[in-house]
Amino acid sequence: MLPSGPIFLLKIFFTYLLYPSNTLQVIEVTFEDIRRMRIRGAGRIARAAVRALEEYGLGLDVGKEEFFKKMKEAGEYLKNARPTAVSLPNAVNYVLVNLEREGQNVSQMSVLKEVLKKYCEGFLKRSELAMEKIGSIGSKRIQSGDVILTHCNSEAAMSVILAAHMQKKDIKVFCTETRPRRQGLLTSSRLAKLGVDVTLIVDSAARYFMNKVDSVVIGADAISVNGAVVNKIGTSMLALAAKEARSRFMVAAESYKISPKTFVGELIPIEERPKEEVVSKEWASRNPAVKVANPAFDITPPEYVDLIVTEYGVFPPQGILVLFKEVYGLSEILNQ
Ligand code: RI2
């Protein structure tokens, strides 16, 4: 059962008591921060999980076998914090698989911890570089005078928009509010602070403005082997509107947003969030007959995606398989 509310606080308190010099609490706290979306955004949650694994592992005072066991448990636990963003299990697997492979022949714990540190820091660095690269590649598809529409609060999409802005391209950006969590307020506020001409609109106004839009630029929580893109709820409606209005639909995503399990036939689960994100508890209790559904993501089929910008370059959605093989290797995927 997932920790929540006062029970969670009690759990943290006892964790501190039981493990005063241990760092198990960093795993619990990170899990809860991700689950409650205090840390959010597919890239950010991946990095938070890796930082937590690093801190946890470096603080462990156990032998080698126990170390591997505890790291694995912590990783598996973190992976369950949110189900859709594949960046989370991909990041955890990257650290754990490499730790086990390289750590097998290591006998000293201090050296094993150096291995852990190397792969955690390596992932964080790779993630940071990917963001820069996506910005520089994606911004080549933005011309001066372009109008852009973005949805939710994606670091990768922002990287493209901000790189174009830094290149002194004259751009205008529409940000959707992004109900129910209203991440569009974060995006619009940041872009405005950095000097971008930005207009916040309600989600349902997207079609109204779409004829003015040259490019829709969005992020991704997961990309399937067929090039379908899973992103914040409402994305697929934007893709439909963009296609009808002949606006370009650009997805900006690091390669670790590709879901290896889709290669072996699995579907990407869509997270259902609490109804309290949509209506207040009071309203719900006054209207018990109203069911409230709150899926956090939707799926945009590849036919509606013009290009996927990654740190390895630009891919048509149907070409994502090429990158897929490059990043994971077929045998690795089939062994999962
Ligand atoms: P970056 C977010 O999910 C949004 O769906 C956003 O488009 C996506 O992650 C990618 O964000 P949520 O955590 O990784 O807000 O590009 O549910 O930052």
Side-chain angles (χ1 to χ4, degrees):
M1 196 92 147
L2 300 180
S4 65
I7 298 171
F8 170 66
L9 291 175
L10 272 177
K11 203 168 171 183
I12 294 284
F13 176 70
F14 283 114
T15 307
Y16 271 103
L17 278 185
L18 285 171
Y19 305 96
S21 62
N22 199 312
T23 54
L24 182 61
Q25 68 269 13
V26 74
I27 300 294
E28 296 273 12
V29 169
T30 305
F31 176 96
E32 199 58 12
D33 281 348
I34 293 173
R35 188 177 77 90
R36 288 176 177 264
M37 293 178 71
R38 284 188 286 258
I39 299 173
R40 49 144 303 281
R44 284 192 205 95
I45 67 178
R47 291 195 294 279
V50 167
R51 283 194 202 98
L53 280 177
E54 183 176 9
E55 189 179 332
Y56 176 60
L58 295 182
L60 281 175
D61 187 15
V62 293
K64 185 174 160 182
E65 288 315 309
E66 193 61 10
F67 182 79
F68 282 136
K69 187 167 158 265
K70 283 187 176 296
M71 289 303 294
K72 202 160 181 219
E73 278 169 7
E76 292 305 319
Y77 183 63
L78 284 170
K79 279 188 209 175
N80 290 318
R82 289 188 76 189
T84 302
V86 75
S87 49
L88 178 59
N90 280 352
V92 169
N93 287 342
Y94 173 82
V95 171
L96 294 183
V97 168
N98 283 304
L99 176 69
E100 194 147 338
R101 185 182 46 78
E102 201 169 313
Q104 256 171 14
N105 305 321
V106 171
S107 51
Q108 276 182 305
M109 285 311 294
S110 60
V111 180
L112 193 54
K113 287 184 180 181
E114 281 306 315
V115 175
L116 170 68
K117 205 168 163 184
K118 181 173 88 175
Y119 284 105
C120 289
E121 300 293 324
F123 178 84
L124 297 172
K125 188 83 201 150
R126 185 182 148 191
S127 168
E128 196 182 300
L129 286 174
M131 205 54 72
E132 276 173 37
K133 202 89 187 135
I134 287 169
S136 95
I137 297 172
S139 61
K140 290 182 188 157
R141 297 296 182 99
I142 308 282
Q143 309 294 317
S144 205
D146 273 2
V147 176
I148 296 163
L149 184 144
T150 190
H151 186 52
C152 199
N153 178 243
S154 154
E155 281 186 310
M158 294 268 271
S159 181
V160 172
I161 295 168
L162 286 173
H165 175 66
M166 299 296 277
Q167 292 156 12
K168 308 256 179 284
K169 288 176 183 166
D170 175 24
I171 53 169
K172 289 187 177 21
V173 180
F174 285 108
C175 288
T176 55
E177 181 189 15
T178 319
R179 281 280 292 152
R181 303 284 298 220
R182 307 181 83 203
Q183 291 98 324
L185 272 64
L186 296 172
T187 307
S188 53
S189 164
R190 170 135 195 262
L191 290 177
K193 278 184 188 138
L194 294 169
V196 178
D197 179 333
V198 61
T199 306
L200 182 68
I201 60 171
V202 295
D203 299 330
S204 44
R207 180 62 191 91
Y208 180 82
F209 290 107
M210 193 57 86
N211 284 344
K212 297 183 198 296
V213 171
D214 297 288
S215 288
V216 175
V217 182
I218 53 125
D221 291 81
I223 300 172
S224 165
V225 66
N226 69 346
V229 172
V230 178
N231 192 49
K232 183 55 58 190
I233 191 79
T235 301
S236 63
M237 282 204 308
L238 294 175
L240 281 173
K243 192 156 190 94
E244 193 239 347
R246 308 278 191 276
S247 307
R248 179 188 288 136
F249 195 84
M250 185 197 297
V251 177
E254 307 91 305
S255 59
Y256 52 81
K257 306 275 177 69
I258 300 173
S259 166
K261 288 190 170 173
T262 57
F263 194 78
V264 285
E266 284 194 31
L267 297 174
I268 296 166
I270 300 295
E271 178 181 9
E272 182 69 28
R273 304 275 312 165
K275 67 178 175 192
E276 288 73 24
E277 290 185 347
V278 180
V279 293
S280 67
K281 277 200 171 119
E282 294 70 41
W283 191 93
S285 64
R286 275 188 278 115
N287 295 276
V290 179
K291 290 177 266 178
V292 179
N294 184 20
F297 305 100
D298 63 21
I299 303 162
T300 301
E303 309 85 87
Y304 292 88
V305 176
D306 290 303
L307 62 155
I308 301 178
V309 180
T310 75
E311 71 273 30
Y312 291 101
V314 176
F315 293 80
Q318 295 78 5
I320 212 73
L321 180 63
V322 177
L323 177 59
F324 208 80
K325 289 181 187 166
E326 189 66 35
V327 174
Y328 296 105
L330 281 187
S331 55
E332 202 173 305
I333 299 165
L334 293 170
N335 285 333
Q336 283 209 0

